[in-house]
Amino acid sequence: MRPLGRLDALNRFLLRQQYLRGTFAARLFWQHVGQDTSIHASVGYLSPSRIRIGDKCEIRHHSFLDARCNQNWGIQIGNGCRIKDGVMLASYGGQIDIGEQVLIGRLCTVFGHGGVHIGAFSMIGPGVVIVSTNHVTTMSGRKFQEQGFTRERIDIGEDVWIGANCSVVAGARIEPRTVVAANSLVDGLLRGGWLYGGIPARRLQIIPESLDPKVSARVDFRTWGLTDWIDPE
C-alpha cells in the first residue's frame, strides 16, 4: 500500500482534530458516550443529557440530535452505528431507539413523536424520511397548523435496507430482512423476505437465496468508515 500524499495526510490530521473536539464536548454533556466513538465538532444537539450512544460509533458533519422528551432518554444509538452527514434525529417528546451496527445515510430525517425503533444491522439510504406523527387536517375552519397531530409508533426490524429518498410514515412496520426500493412510501406492514417498491410500497419480488455468480464477482465489502480511504494508484 502506498503512503498517503502530504496534503491527504494533513487533511486527515485536521479532520481527526475536529472529531476529537466534538467527541470531547459530547462526553461532557451527553448522558453516555461509548468507547472509540467519534463525533464531529459540527454536530449539534438539544437535551444532551437524554442522548446515549454506544461503542465504536461515528456521527459525521452537521448532523443534529434533538432529544427533548419527558423520559430518561430521547435518543439511544447502539454499538457500531454510522450516522452520516446532515442527519436529523429529533425525538419531539417520544423516543428514537437505534440498534447496533445501523447505517443512517446522508440527509436523513427521523422524527420520534410516536416512537421509532430501527433494528440492528439495518441500512437507511440517503434522504430517507421517517416520521411517527400525522397532522390533523379537517375543514373545520381552523388552520391546519392549529389542529394538532396524532402519534403512532414505527418499527423497523433487523437487517432491513430502505433505499434512498423513501418516506416511512406513522404506524409503519417493516419486518426483518426486508428491502424497500428507492423513492417508495411505506405506510403499513411489510413482510420479511421481500423486495417492496412504489407509492404506497407493494410487493415486487422475493429476495433470492443466493447471488448470480456474475454478480458475486463484483461484490466489494469495504464500509468506507472514517478510517477507510482510497489507495492512490
Side-chain angles (χ1 to χ4, degrees):
M1 179 179 290
R2 294 181 182 179
L4 291 172
R6 291 181 180 178
L7 292 179
D8 286 343
L10 176 61
N11 171 258
R12 288 178 62 79
F13 172 79
L14 294 175
L15 186 63
R16 179 62 178 161
Q17 303 313 302
Q18 294 170 12
Y19 278 97
L20 287 172
R21 291 201 310 272
T23 305
F24 177 78
R27 291 191 187 282
L28 289 177
F29 296 109
W30 295 18
Q31 184 180 125
H32 176 77
V33 176
Q35 296 299 312
D36 299 319
T37 283
S38 296
I39 300 167
H40 194 269
S42 65
V43 172
Y45 36 84
L46 284 173
S47 293
S49 65
R50 291 180 171 83
I51 301 173
R52 303 172 179 173
I53 187 168
D55 300 336
K56 298 181 179 179
C57 297
E58 60 184 57
I59 304 182
R60 296 198 182 181
H61 308 65
H62 300 108
S63 290
F64 195 89
L65 286 71
D66 179 349
R68 288 176 292 174
C69 66
N70 294 321
Q71 294 85 5
N72 185 44
W73 59 270
I75 298 173
Q76 180 167 259
I77 301 171
N79 296 335
C81 289
R82 288 175 289 148
I83 312 296
K84 295 298 185 76
D85 313 65
V87 171
M88 173 70 169
L89 305 177
S91 57
Y92 288 149
Q95 292 178 308
I96 298 172
D97 180 21
I98 300 173
E100 296 187 353
Q101 302 290 337
V102 170
L103 168 64
I104 299 185
R106 290 172 175 81
L107 302 177
C108 286
T109 299
V110 183
F111 289 166
H113 301 69
V116 173
H117 171 74
I118 302 175
F121 295 95
S122 289
M123 299 184 292
I124 312 299
V128 170
V129 176
I130 301 172
V131 180
S132 58
T133 185
N134 241 329
H135 284 280
V136 175
T137 52
T138 68
M139 300 302 290
S140 62
R142 300 179 67 184
K143 304 299 183 185
F144 291 156
Q145 291 188 28
E146 300 171 349
Q147 294 186 36
F149 56 88
T150 59
R151 308 168 186 254
E152 197 168 357
R153 182 176 173 84
I154 292 174
D155 277 300
I156 298 171
E158 294 188 1
D159 202 14
V160 166
W161 177 19
I162 300 177
N165 300 313
C166 288
S167 295
V168 183
V169 300
R173 180 183 166 207
I174 304 176
E175 291 187 346
R177 311 215 75 184
T178 300
V179 176
V180 183
N183 301 302
S184 297
L185 169 66
V186 180
D187 64 352
L189 172 63
L190 305 189
R191 296 291 186 184
W194 286 84
L195 166 64
Y196 286 78
I199 302 177
R202 294 288 183 261
R203 285 185 185 181
L204 298 180
Q205 66 182 51
I206 197 166
I207 298 172
E209 291 290 332
S210 60
L211 282 178
D212 182 290
K214 293 180 180 179
V215 177
S216 296
R218 303 197 305 270
V219 174
D220 188 337
F221 290 96
R222 287 175 290 187
T223 62
W224 300 112
L226 287 173
T227 58
D228 299 320
W229 64 88
I230 297 175
D231 184 33
E233 297 181 357

